[in-house]
């Protein structure tokens, strides 16, 4: 029973993460463009989904759309709800990454005749990946934990299984502790990897300042 | 080859270029000098529309450069070398040279690599083809940047203060490469303070101040008898 929920949580998290990455890259890139309308659209998306609770968004997908005649499975609602919600955060991470790349990179690309899409793809985004990987991984960790919102709409995920096992056996404590442990097993390695990667990145940055014999000669 | 007609440029309230009229012939080596803030960088940046003029026209090869055609026209006609090199740090030296030829000019990879090696040899950095830019000295990076500009085989190369960010010792290695280039039929527009370079290479020198072209002539003219007071004052400072 817990195994089933565990698997469901992994499935929802994996698909939602993919959706969040796609949305995040698209809106992150849009939010750095020169087009005011596009930037406005990205802003609205980010502000709307960051500033309303995920639970309400998921309830809306579950109940609101049903009233409008659109019935989605709880699995799809989970992927969409969590994916769109975290897409807004990923978008901000991507935007920060892009703006951290020196303007000279864009100028070099433009002077060679790259279009906006081309230089984003070949020159700017590949450089941002290294910078945004740690915050992105933290988003993945939050995303995994947030899939537990599915329990509120009987999503058969890990949290739901813990809920139902707890209420049928009345072993509330062990049930939730065990579920928590399973979430921990998923999240801890990711968080640890992100932290180590970031530390390594910082260390490499300092070693990159190479010893420059010319500079020394000048000052002597 | 390049023609600026009544070009004006404003940055907000600041009037940076004032009625610039300028023609550069095919194969000509034009050096632009002037104090900082005189508009010389903005002038070259208008030639590939990194800055669009507020008013006036820019023609490349008789065709007017506009917001609409700038990517296509720049892609076909000009390359640029920057003060801060602007190499792509996530790519090796060779990849820096082949990226545009492969992606934009649709050259087969082998051919692009062959060309890239040829131009790396010209700038004397063949042995660095697999290095990343961050491992190179400033002078080496700038030579790679020049090779990158050459690798796209454009008729025009714009140089925006190519030696200003370099250690004094490495300036000459970059200038030597540029002097070598000047023997080719490439149209070169160079913003620089290196008067020695101008003397060897330039067909014509332009002195800019406060957004205007104040004086122009052969390099000897500037060394021997500049007419304008402002030119004299500026030259007395940089020639010492």
């Amino acid at each position: 029973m817990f195994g089933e929920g565990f698997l469901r949580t992994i499935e929802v998290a994996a698909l939602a993460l993919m959706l969040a990455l796609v949305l995040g890259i698209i809106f992150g890139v849009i939010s750095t463009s020169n087009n005011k309308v596009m930037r406005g659209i990205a802003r609205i998306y980010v502000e709307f989904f960051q500033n309303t609770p995920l639970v309400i968004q998921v309830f809306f997908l579950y109940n609101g759309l049903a009233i409008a005649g659109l019935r989605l499975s709880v699995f799809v609602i989970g992927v969409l709800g969590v994916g769109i919600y975290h897409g807004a955060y990923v978008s901000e991470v991507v935007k920060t990454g892009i703006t951290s790349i020196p303007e000279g990179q864009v100028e070099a690309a433009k002077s060679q005749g790259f279009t906006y899409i081309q230089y984003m793809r070949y020159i700017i985004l590949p450089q941002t990946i290294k910078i945004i990987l740690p915050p992105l991984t933290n988003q993945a960790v939050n995303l995994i934990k947030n899939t537990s919102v599915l329990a509120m709409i009987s999503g058969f995920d890990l949290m739901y299984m813990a809920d139902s096992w707890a209420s049928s056996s009345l072993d509330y404590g062990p049930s939730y502790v065990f579920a928590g442990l399973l979430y921990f097993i998923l999240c801890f390695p990711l968080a640890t990897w992100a932290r180590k990667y970031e530390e390594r990145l910082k260390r490499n940055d300092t070693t990159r300042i190479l010893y420059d014999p010319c500079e020394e000669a000048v000052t002597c | 080859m390049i023609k600026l007609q009544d070009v004006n440029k404003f940055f907000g309230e600041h009037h940076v270029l004032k009625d610039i009229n300028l023609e550069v012939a095919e194969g000509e080596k034009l050096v632009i000098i002037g104090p900082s803030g005189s508009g010389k960088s903005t002038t070259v940046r208008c030639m590939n529309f990194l800055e669009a003029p507020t008013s006036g026209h820019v023609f490349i090869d008789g065709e007017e450069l506009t917001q609409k055609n700038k990517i296509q026209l720049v892609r076909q006609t000009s390359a640029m070398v920057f003060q801060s090199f602007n190499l792509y740090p996530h790519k090796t030296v060779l990849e820096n040279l082949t990226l545009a030829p492969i992606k934009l000019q649709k050259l087969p990879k082998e051919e692009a690599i062959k060309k890239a090696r040829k131009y790396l040899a010209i700038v004397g950095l063949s042995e660095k083809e697999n290095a990343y830019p961050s491992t190179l000295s400033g002078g080496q990076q700038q030579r790679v940047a020049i090779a990158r500009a050459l690798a796209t085989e454009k008729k025009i190369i714009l140089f925006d203060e190519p030696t200003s960010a370099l250690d004094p010792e490495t300036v000459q290695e970059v200038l030597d490469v540029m002097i070598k280039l000047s023997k080719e039929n490439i149209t070169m527009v160079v913003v620089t303070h290196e008067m020695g370079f101008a003397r060897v290479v330039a067909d014509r020198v332009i002195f800019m101040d406060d957004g205007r072209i104040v004086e122009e002539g052969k390099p000897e003219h500037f060394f021997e008898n500049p007419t304008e007071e402002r030119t004299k004052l500026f030259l007395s400072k940089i020639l010492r």
Side-chain angles (χ1 to χ4, degrees), chain A residues 29-67:
Chain A
V29 168
I30 288 179
S31 63
T32 62
S33 79
N34 285 328
N35 188 316
K36 264 190 193 157
V37 179
M38 299 290 256
R39 276 208 315 267
I41 292 171
R43 207 64 246 149
I44 290 168
Y45 166 66
V46 169
E47 297 299 345
F48 180 79
F49 285 98
Q50 280 194 350
N51 295 307
T52 52
L54 173 60
V55 184
I56 293 178
Q57 291 165 24
V58 169
F59 276 162
F60 173 79
L61 287 174
Y62 186 66
N63 297 313
L65 289 185
I67 293 166

Side-chain angles (χ1 to χ4, degrees), chain B residues 5-234:
Chain B
Q5 192 183 318
D6 303 324
V7 167
N8 279 276
K9 177 71 184 177
F10 287 86
F11 288 124
E13 293 286 293
H14 194 43
H15 198 172
V16 208
L17 293 184
K18 298 166 184 166
D19 293 317
I20 299 290
N21 283 288
L22 174 63
E23 266 190 76
V24 189
E26 182 164 359
E28 187 178 359
K29 322 298 172 211
L30 176 73
V31 167
I32 305 179
I33 58 172
S36 57
S38 60
K40 52 195 191 317
S41 279
T42 311
T43 303
V44 279
R45 289 162 64 88
C46 281
M47 293 177 180
N48 66 357
F49 255 47
L50 275 187
E51 304 291 353
T54 311
S55 69
H57 309 275
V58 179
F59 298 91
I60 304 292
D61 243 350
E63 192 176 343
E64 178 158 12
L65 191 54
T66 61
Q67 285 298 350
K68 259 204 175 119
N69 71 6
K70 66 173 180 185
I71 292 169
Q72 239 14 64
L73 194 55
V74 165
R75 188 183 288 180
Q76 287 159 9
T77 51
S78 76
M80 191 172 219
V81 175
F82 298 86
Q83 179 176 350
S84 49
F85 328 131
N86 298 347
L87 294 173
Y88 305 133
H90 60 305
K91 304 253 176 219
T92 64
V93 164
L94 197 68
E95 288 165 347
N96 263 279
L97 267 66
T98 55
L99 187 66
I102 292 172
K103 300 295 179 198
L104 302 181
Q105 301 172 331
K106 306 290 175 203
L107 229 57
K109 200 175 168 197
E110 297 72 39
E111 210 175 311
I113 290 176
K114 226 172 94 187
K115 255 187 200 166
R117 290 203 169 118
K118 174 177 141 197
Y119 290 109
L120 271 183
I122 289 178
V123 301
L125 285 171
S126 296
E127 77 283 10
K128 295 287 186 190
E129 66 170 56
N130 292 318
Y132 280 89
S134 61
T135 65
L136 303 179
S137 73
Q140 289 172 330
Q141 288 192 49
Q142 195 60 299
R143 279 147 68 198
V144 172
I146 292 172
R148 177 174 71 178
L150 286 171
T152 48
E153 304 194 321
K154 312 277 183 71
K155 292 187 203 163
I156 303 167
I157 303 185
L158 309 170
F159 295 84
D160 187 4
E161 304 208 28
T163 57
S164 301
L166 297 176
D167 290 330
E169 289 98 312
T170 54
V171 168
Q172 200 53 46
E173 69 184 57
V174 171
L175 291 180
D176 286 343
V177 167
M178 291 169 65
I179 290 169
K180 204 156 140 191
L181 278 192
S182 66
K183 313 272 191 287
E184 310 290 322
N185 189 34
I186 301 169
T187 307
M188 291 167 68
V189 180
V190 186
V191 173
T192 186
H193 295 300
E194 299 291 336
M195 286 307 288
F197 167 81
R199 184 171 226 167
V200 180
V201 162
D203 297 313
R204 186 159 52 121
V205 176
I206 280 179
F207 173 68
M208 286 186 73
D209 189 32
D210 195 28
R212 292 180 208 279
I213 297 175
V214 175
E215 190 164 353
E216 67 172 274
K218 297 264 173 209
E220 299 77 42
H221 165 79
F222 283 85
F223 281 102
E224 286 151 20
N225 53 349
T227 44
E228 300 290 326
E229 274 313 307
R230 273 180 293 177
T231 318
K232 285 179 194 164
L233 187 67
F234 175 74

